[in-house]
Amino acid sequence: MLRPSAHSRRLVPTRRGLVALAVLAVGVIVLGDLAIRLAPAGTHVAAWWPAAGLAVAVGVRFGRRGLPWAAVVTYGASVVANQLGGRPLDTTLLFSLANTLEVLVTASLVLRWVGRRPMLTVRDLSGVVAATLLGAGAAGAVAAVAVGMHTDGSWWVTARAVSTSHFSAVLLFLPFALERERRRPRARRLEVVLTGSGLALLTVALFAPHQSLPVVFMLFPLLVVTAFRQTLRTCALQLVVVNTVATVATSLGWGPIHAAVSVSGIPLETAGAVLQALIASSAATVYVLRVSVETRLQALADADRARRHLGAVIDAAPSTAIIQTDLDGVIRVFNAGAVNLLGYPAEDVVGKHTPELFVAREELRQRAEDVGVTRGFEAMVHTVRTGLLESDRRDWTYVTAAGVRRRVSQVVSRVDDADGTPMGFLAIAEDVETQRRVEQLLVQSLEQERALAERLRAADALKSDFVTSVSHELRTPMTSVLGYSELLVDDFGDVLGPGGRPIVERIQANGRRLLALVDDLLTLSRLESGSLTLKHEPFEVAWVARSAVAVLQPLARASDIGLALHLPEESTTVQGDPQEMERVLINLLSNAVKFPPAHGRIDLTVRRRDLWSLEVEVRDTGVGIPAADLDKVFTRFHRASNVVESQAQGTGLGLAIVKAIVAKHGGTLSVESELSRGSTFVLALPTTVAPELPADAPAPMDTSEMRDVVRRVAQQMASGTRARPSALTGLEQPDQPQQHEQPQQATGS
Ligand code: ADP
């Protein structure tokens, strides 16, 4: 009805709002004029002022912010109505002020206390009645001042008459300003029409001319029926009709109220006030009844919903028997779970039997003896009936309809009503036999699984032992073969002649590959069995990275691959074994060098990941790994299909070793790769707090060492193996036969 103004934050009425204001203006003028004209001769105030009801109703519809609009229009229209009704200007202005004040007071209090929700609770009703009383009281007070100031009328009689006439008007009109009730009325339209016209006719009859018997109470039965079966708005509408008829009749000097007032000699205003008091009390009674009916209906609906919900819950437990009995033990509820467990249809037992029917006789007898009772059912519930226990849980043997015995765990408790009076008993039982059988099966299968895991562990240990001892046994003859073949080339080269030398060199190359494989196997099985103990000391990953790059740099250069190292400024200290970490980086770098396209590029980057870990990344632009092989490259002996096709040498053990070493450092290793574009291996390691890396940290290898390394790696690449020199432990000369006696120095993947 209102919207914000385009230019300011003021609210202006919408088209509907303007129509409502126009209706208000016309309504107040017409109703006001009529009411003044119908006022009993010689009185200062109208018997009923329906314009007040209309104005307050429109005010409530307009809401708190639009209320001033309704107030202004009420004032203007009241002035017009009073002037048309022939009242003097000074009285007109004060009466109009009374009407406006009432709109402001009542509507704002209703909006604050009740809002516009339908009047469904006693609290809402009290709010509406209180607001209406205060508003009507304010109007009565201002009107009394007006009459006292400008006429010779009694201010008290005026105040009383105005207050009651306004109170009944507002009380009858307000339901039209509130929202409709959501619940459908129980009365059909025909019933509404019949009771409405019945009420109107009865009112006409009761307020007919010369009707002096005070039989207005005959209206009450019909009003009460209305309250029980119809909506609040219909009740209010019927009261409006009754009041209109009664007011017009009383103003014309008809009906029992006018008769009673005129014979008693009290002021004529009192006739209107008595009538309005009668109507207002009827309205209040009807509203109270309406609200209490509504509250009951709501409570019934809630109870019904709760009952359905409970029923659904009870039936949703198909493996739990829920049986409720009355105090004598007669079954009242027998849920789906009970039917499933016991095999009796519910209709065969509900209202006909007690739970004794299902319980093994000898158990009942024994229990009855124990608790000192004679009846079987009493034996089941005695402890909870006497209040000894709140709930009694024990195992019973149920006998089903088919005669099968089933062990159940049953909890019995007493059911009391809202006042605490015992109503019956509730037994909840579960078939523990099935449950226990399932538990047993579970324990058995867990046991089997544990034994299987034990056997697998033993087989794995056996396999590791086997690999270790075979590798050991192979290593000694292999180093001997290599040593002697090198001796053959060095010392008996002349005897071998040009045809023999390549053969012996072939023996050497394959011997080295075999030795590398044996060493990898040994390392892996030691790592897995835990017999290879790593150091646990702080070291700088940056140093290890520098050393690994130094080892591989010459080889990369020879293959025309750019190898760059990127180190962070801050400390890169981790705890662990620097030599093993170097083995890791050399393995990753030598893979990157081994699987490159020509003119490729390798970047080794060390960076801090967060406060607790750092990251070592080896990124190459090599052949990449097919997506199907990506998650298998860390598995022993797995080599990607593209590498196998290209016949590149290798054992497929390097990454498995790398992963095991990284895991022993508490780190993780991951890979991302795109075929023909390159691979990125990322190593995450937990850091320790350590001093900053000294600026003058010594290079871990001198140039001559580096030269040796390069020579050795180049040799091994040529013969299909990968070098495993250790810059941190020192290097051995490749041309000395005894180097092969040192297993740590000839590792490859
Ligand atoms: P090897 O290098 O002896 O084959 P690894 O365990 O070191 O064994 O590597 C396993 C497989 O992972 C390799 O055969 C290869 O298919 C793939 N791989 C490892 N590193 C790379 C890389 N940088 N580029 C492409 N493929 C790689």
Side-chain angles (χ1 to χ4, degrees), residues 464-465 467-469 471-472 475 518-534 580 583 657 660-661 664 742-744 747:
S464 287
D465 287 352
V467 171
T468 313
S469 51
S471 308
H472 253 304
R475 203 168 187 292
V518 166
D519 280 341
D520 275 359
L521 274 175
L522 262 177
T523 311
L524 197 59
S525 67
R526 279 186 190 149
L527 274 167
E528 283 174 352
S529 68
S531 61
L532 185 76
T533 34
L534 303 191
E580 292 304 325
R583 184 205 294 255
I657 293 174
I661 296 172
K664 286 210 180 269
Q742 306 291 328
Q744 299 92 324
T747 318

Side-chain angles (χ1 to χ4, degrees), residues 261-390:
V261 170
S262 46
V263 293
S264 63
I266 45 178
L268 270 178
E269 276 99 334
T270 313
V274 169
L275 174 64
Q276 294 315 312
L278 171 77
I279 296 293
S281 327
S282 310
T285 312
V286 166
Y287 291 175
V288 167
L289 279 176
R290 180 79 221 115
V291 164
S292 58
V293 166
E294 193 56 44
T295 313
R296 285 287 149 96
L297 286 176
Q298 187 59 42
L300 276 178
D302 288 349
D304 189 51
R305 208 170 310 130
R307 196 178 52 78
R308 280 163 200 268
H309 185 69
L310 187 65
V313 170
I314 287 177
D315 279 339
S319 56
T320 304
I322 300 176
I323 303 167
Q324 193 184 335
T325 70
D326 58 22
L327 285 173
D328 296 327
V330 179
I331 295 172
R332 297 293 165 202
V333 174
F334 196 76
N335 81 330
V339 175
N340 290 345
L341 186 68
L342 290 158
Y344 288 96
E347 56 275 17
D348 286 4
V349 291
V350 172
K352 296 179 183 153
H353 289 281
T354 78
E356 281 182 73
L357 178 68
F358 335 115
V359 181
R361 302 225 168 280
E362 68 282 3
E363 274 183 24
L364 266 185
R365 236 188 334 263
Q366 183 59 52
R367 180 78 186 138
E369 255 174 49
D370 291 350
V371 290
V373 296
T374 46
R375 266 188 69 206
F377 174 70
E378 193 56 29
M380 294 172 85
V381 300
H382 190 68
T383 48
V384 291
R385 192 198 290 272
T386 52
L388 201 65
L389 293 176
E390 221 166 81

Side-chain angles (χ1 to χ4, degrees), residues 202-480:
L202 191 60
T203 316
V204 169
L206 296 178
F207 284 84
H210 315 299
Q211 173 62 275
S212 57
L213 270 179
V215 282
V216 281
F217 51 81
M218 285 173 72
L219 289 169
F220 286 112
L222 271 176
L223 286 174
V224 169
V225 168
T226 316
F228 271 106
R229 301 184 52 83
Q230 298 172 18
T231 65
L232 193 70
R233 280 192 185 186
T234 317
C235 296
L237 186 64
Q238 295 186 352
L239 283 165
V240 168
V241 172
V242 169
N243 202 10
T244 309
V245 172
T247 306
V248 171
T250 307
S251 302
L252 295 174
W254 302 343
I257 294 174
H258 187 272
V261 170
S262 46
V263 293
S264 63
I266 45 178
L268 270 178
E269 276 99 334
T270 313
V274 169
L275 174 64
Q276 294 315 312
L278 171 77
I279 296 293
S281 327
S282 310
T285 312
V286 166
Y287 291 175
V288 167
L289 279 176
R290 180 79 221 115
V291 164
S292 58
V293 166
E294 193 56 44
T295 313
R296 285 287 149 96
L297 286 176
Q298 187 59 42
L300 276 178
D302 288 349
D304 189 51
R305 208 170 310 130
R307 196 178 52 78
R308 280 163 200 268
H309 185 69
L310 187 65
V313 170
I314 287 177
D315 279 339
S319 56
T320 304
I322 300 176
I323 303 167
Q324 193 184 335
T325 70
D326 58 22
L327 285 173
D328 296 327
V330 179
I331 295 172
R332 297 293 165 202
V333 174
F334 196 76
N335 81 330
V339 175
N340 290 345
L341 186 68
L342 290 158
Y344 288 96
E347 56 275 17
D348 286 4
V349 291
V350 172
K352 296 179 183 153
H353 289 281
T354 78
E356 281 182 73
L357 178 68
F358 335 115
V359 181
R361 302 225 168 280
E362 68 282 3
E363 274 183 24
L364 266 185
R365 236 188 334 263
Q366 183 59 52
R367 180 78 186 138
E369 255 174 49
D370 291 350
V371 290
V373 296
T374 46
R375 266 188 69 206
F377 174 70
E378 193 56 29
M380 294 172 85
V381 300
H382 190 68
T383 48
V384 291
R385 192 198 290 272
T386 52
L388 201 65
L389 293 176
E390 221 166 81
S391 63
D392 190 348
R393 174 186 286 276
R394 63 188 62 247
D395 285 4
W396 291 97
T397 303
Y398 274 7
V399 183
T400 70
V404 179
R405 292 167 79 86
R406 284 184 150 176
R407 200 73 186 144
V408 298
S409 167
Q410 177 184 280
V411 185
V412 174
S413 47
R414 201 178 70 194
V415 182
D416 296 346
D417 69 9
D419 305 328
T421 315
M423 280 168 52
F425 300 95
L426 184 70
I428 299 177
E430 279 191 44
D431 178 353
V432 280
E433 214 162 82
T434 318
Q435 198 179 316
R436 284 185 192 148
R437 218 174 300 136
V438 170
E439 272 170 20
Q440 256 170 15
L441 281 175
L442 208 65
V443 170
Q444 265 171 18
S445 62
L446 279 176
E447 191 50 44
Q448 276 169 4
E449 207 168 295
R450 203 188 53 74
L452 197 67
E454 200 53 58
R455 282 217 295 281
L456 280 176
R457 242 195 312 277
D460 206 40
L462 204 67
K463 180 216 72 184
S464 287
D465 287 352
F466 174 74
V467 171
T468 313
S469 51
V470 167
S471 308
H472 253 304
E473 293 311 316
L474 278 175
R475 203 168 187 292
T476 317
M478 270 324 298
T479 40
S480 165

